[in-house]
Amino acid sequence: LAIVHIVDDDASFRTSTARLLKVCGYEVVTYESAEQLLERLPDDRIASCILLDVRIPGLSGPELQDRLAELGSALPIVFLTGHGDVPTSVRAIKAGAEDFLTKPVPKDALIDAIERAVARSQVKREKSDQLNALRGFVSSLTPREHQVFERVAQGKMNKQIAHELGTTERTIKAHRQKVMEKLRIESVTELVLIAERLGILAAPARK
Amino acid sequence: MLLFGSEPGGRTAMFFWRTALPFRCLFQWAVVLALTAGLLLGLTTCSQAAGEPKRVVILHSFGFGFKPWSEYARAIREELDRQARWRLDIMDQLLASARVSGDNPEGPFINYLEQLYAADPLDLIITIGAPAARFVQRHRHTVFSGTPVLMGAVNQRRIQIAGMTENDTVVAVNNDHLVAFESMLRVLPATKKVMVVIGNSPSEKILREALERELKPLEGRIELEWTDNLSFEELLKSAAALPPHSAVYWFNLSVDAAGVGHEGDKALTRFHAVANAPIFSYDDSYFGRELLGGPMQSVAEGGRRIASVAVRILGGEKAGDIKTPASDFSTPKYNWLELQRWGISENRLPPGSQILFRSPTAWEQYRWQILATAAVLLLQATMITGLLYERRRRRYAETEARQRMSELAHVNRHATAGELSASIAHELNQPLGAILNNVETGAIILNSPSPDLNEIKTIFDEIKRDDQRATEVIRRLRRLLSKTASDAQDIDLNDTVGEVFDLLSAQAAERNIILSSKLAPGILRVSGDRIQLQQVILNLVVNGMDSVVGTANGRREVISSTLLSDGSARITIADSGAGVPSDKLKKVFEPFFTTKGDGMGMGLSIARTIVEAHGGRIWAENQTSGGAVFHVDLPLAKST
């Protein structure tokens, strides 16, 4: 199960929430303020989420949300508030909050929200992991291979590519073979897909 | 010329002497004549101014001090002095024989008078009383044959008209005693018995007989008691023991049965002091404080009549030609004091009666003072009524104002509470959330195969604590919103400030404002209404927070402090806002003064009203470091 980071200045709520989540099998870390959390920024790659009180002294909930975004942390945030007002909740959701709950929160609703947040972030993280892998494959290409990869993705013929790069068709074929190997693909279709996901296609073609 | 030359001095002198002689004689005669004329003139003038004094003898009957005659004599003398144009030589002679019985000593008395007035004949003899009149009449032809006689103060019936000469005249009184008695019986109709005071001298014996005859018509109606055979002491005793429905007729007491003469007022005064019945009489010379009154002979009037007749005789008129009618009783006079004493209503008195010695009523005596006092009292009463009315109106107005203030304060508290509702909900949901968490945790633990009971216990403790916390929030809110009338109690200002800060802390946190307080050590005890004072602090702190939020940057701070200052408790609320324009420092406490867009402008006005109702003072200042500071001074609670 995931790790839950609770940020709340209210000791009694913080303790009781921590106790509940522990009983439900979560690992729990508590913080009295947003600053405390920032000091020991948790690893966002582990399945986890933040339970954040909107009204805390010092850095407020929404402000912490902004700071985490700046720091590139992908930790999902579930907001808790004693008194939910519409503007604050809208702003929080827009800024990427996973959920916005009003105290007192029934256990099931709380766990649902945590689970949803963790799951969603998990999916997001998997996707980004794939991309990162692809990026790694792409970065292993030599500059010549990269040029060939780009042009293949653009749907150009070997002959045409050879002409553009001022080499023979056979050389191009060899490079193309190398690219397929490095990207661990077997068809040109897969190659085009990768180029698209990494946004290589969107970039204006360099001649 | 030679002649002259030889003997100049002698001849010339001779000539002068011879020629001068006739002139000197003439001059001497003239002087003598002038002197004589002057002397004669002077003498004549003298005799005309002074003239021969008119010699008058007043012949008394009993003594100089016996009433009523003594009073007549006095009145006559006074009137003569007033009316006479001449110098008068008035002599008194006393016919004491009227008082004593036995041998008549008139002979030697006549001789004495003859001798006395032989040289200078008298101009007039005035007799007073019947004995004197009769004496003169008896000796008219021997002693006073040429002298005019005026018989005064005598009853008509006792004059011998036949014996009157042309030189005699009489100014009589008509003492109708029956009239006096009838009048007495009209005033006191129940009268059964009348004591008639009469002496025992020869003259009085005659008087008694005459009166008895006169009162014959009353026989059967009343009983008469004559006192002629009583000594004065016996008379007093008997007067003190008169039966009810008695009256006294003071007739004449010259000499009592013991032979003692009674002059002046003393007898009547002593008699009055002991008598247990009202006293009447016929002559107003007795009319002092003793008599009840009635129709009486007027001495003053009688004296005047006698005197004017005397003046006419002295002026040359023939006495016998002057006829004077007898004088009747004058208008009835009564003594107010005696009327009161015997309880006689003034309605029973004859019409036209005169009432004397009336002690003036308070009204008559102090009319103006009474009027003035009444006016002052009336004025005062009016003013008091007016003031009472005003006071009542003011009370109503004050009660009304207090009620309105209270209502307004209540509304203000509601408005403030409305503003605070978000933070209050937050404060309430915090413990509620914790409780829910704990309950659900507890349920899970209990469902596990081996529940950790220690954990359950901790959970219950926490639930209890959070419940109390929620209750406290509600209690604070309810207290703030309660509409209970102000009742003074001793409260600790530090507590009150602390409680307000608890209420506002959530809001302050949300608005990112630092709320801090520096409280005086110990207890700041003031007497007042906790809710109202809380409201004052609440209003000031909320205002401070609002002004702090208005500032773009810098500190966001509201500091509250309490301290003891000069025997009063002071609360100071300072903020780091923009402060108050210096010309508005006083204005901020006026109703409807506001700088907030949505403010009602009542907060500080209500605060001031509350503080002043607590006998305190509130004022605003600007801090040198920026921001406004509000001070509230409240008197410390008495005792402890």
Side-chain angles (χ1 to χ4, degrees), chain B residues 532-572:
Chain B
Q532 289 192 352
L533 291 179
Q534 220 170 9
Q535 184 176 6
V536 171
I537 300 163
L538 190 78
N539 283 350
L540 292 177
V541 175
V542 167
N543 269 357
M545 297 204 309
D546 288 348
S547 81
V548 164
V549 169
T551 52
N553 47 8
R555 299 173 297 134
R556 293 174 141 212
E557 202 172 20
V558 176
I559 304 168
S560 168
S561 49
T562 59
L563 60 111
L564 258 166
S565 132
D566 286 341
S568 59
R570 177 175 295 179
I571 310 166
T572 297

Side-chain angles (χ1 to χ4, degrees), chain B residues 429-506:
Chain B
N429 283 334
Q430 211 77 295
L432 288 180
I435 289 168
L436 185 61
N437 286 343
N438 277 323
V439 167
E440 292 187 306
T441 310
I444 292 167
I445 291 174
L446 287 175
N447 278 334
S448 71
S450 55
D452 180 350
L453 289 181
N454 279 335
E455 186 75 359
I456 294 287
K457 190 173 176 294
T458 315
I459 284 172
F460 279 153
D461 285 348
E462 281 186 23
I463 288 174
K464 192 177 165 195
R465 197 189 62 207
D466 284 324
D467 188 87
Q468 278 167 353
R469 208 175 119 197
T471 310
E472 181 62 23
V473 172
I474 304 245
R475 192 180 60 81
R476 276 206 301 262
L477 191 67
R478 284 184 58 127
R479 220 148 64 172
L480 182 68
L481 295 184
S482 76
K483 209 180 173 178
T484 47
S486 60
D487 47 342
Q489 59 195 56
D490 278 7
I491 49 175
D492 180 6
L493 266 193
N494 285 341
D495 262 5
T496 312
V497 171
E499 212 164 323
V500 171
F501 271 47
D502 284 347
L503 258 178
L504 291 175
S505 58

